[in-house]
Amino acid sequence: MAKLRHIAYRADDPEAMAKFFIEGFGMTIAQRRGPGVIDLTDGTLNLTVLPAVAGDPNRKAGLEHIGFTAADGDAARAQLVAAGGTEKNTVRSEE
């Protein structure tokens, strides 16, 4: 069974959004990477806050993507395709 591992959200002000999740939900900063990218965690699930990019309609504020892990990636992919999903920009790791 696939497990939800992270949610990525684009924000106009990543610092303010991170502060909200830290103060409001007790999340902690797991790491900072790249320009304005903040990875938060509650110990189980990660929330990545990405900067929105002015003038780029593909990088506006809002939900960016969600990430899942699965013990058997090929079986999970087949299940998703059978359910009507399509593959786009898949990232695979060897964890």
Side-chain angles (χ1 to χ4, degrees):
M1 173 179 3
K3 301 276 185 184
L4 180 62
R5 290 295 176 233
H6 80 266
I7 299 169
Y9 194 92
R10 288 206 177 268
D12 291 323
D13 186 343
E15 290 293 333
M17 179 168 265
K19 181 179 178 192
F20 170 77
F21 281 103
I22 291 166
E23 293 177 0
F25 294 101
M27 297 186 87
T28 59
I29 294 177
Q31 69 177 340
R32 290 177 180 271
R33 55 189 171 88
V37 178
I38 305 168
D39 293 315
L40 303 170
T41 187
D42 66 1
T44 301
L45 187 73
N46 290 345
L47 173 67
T48 299
V49 183
L50 304 164
V53 178
D56 185 343
N58 296 317
R59 302 287 188 242
K60 59 186 174 185
L63 182 64
E64 170 75 15
H65 67 271
I66 58 175
F68 288 83
T69 59
D72 184 339
D74 291 333
R77 190 173 304 101
Q79 182 177 352
L80 290 169
V81 169
T86 57
E87 190 168 349
K88 180 179 179 183
N89 300 326
T90 299
V91 176
R92 294 179 179 92
S93 82
E94 300 299 320
E95 290 183 19

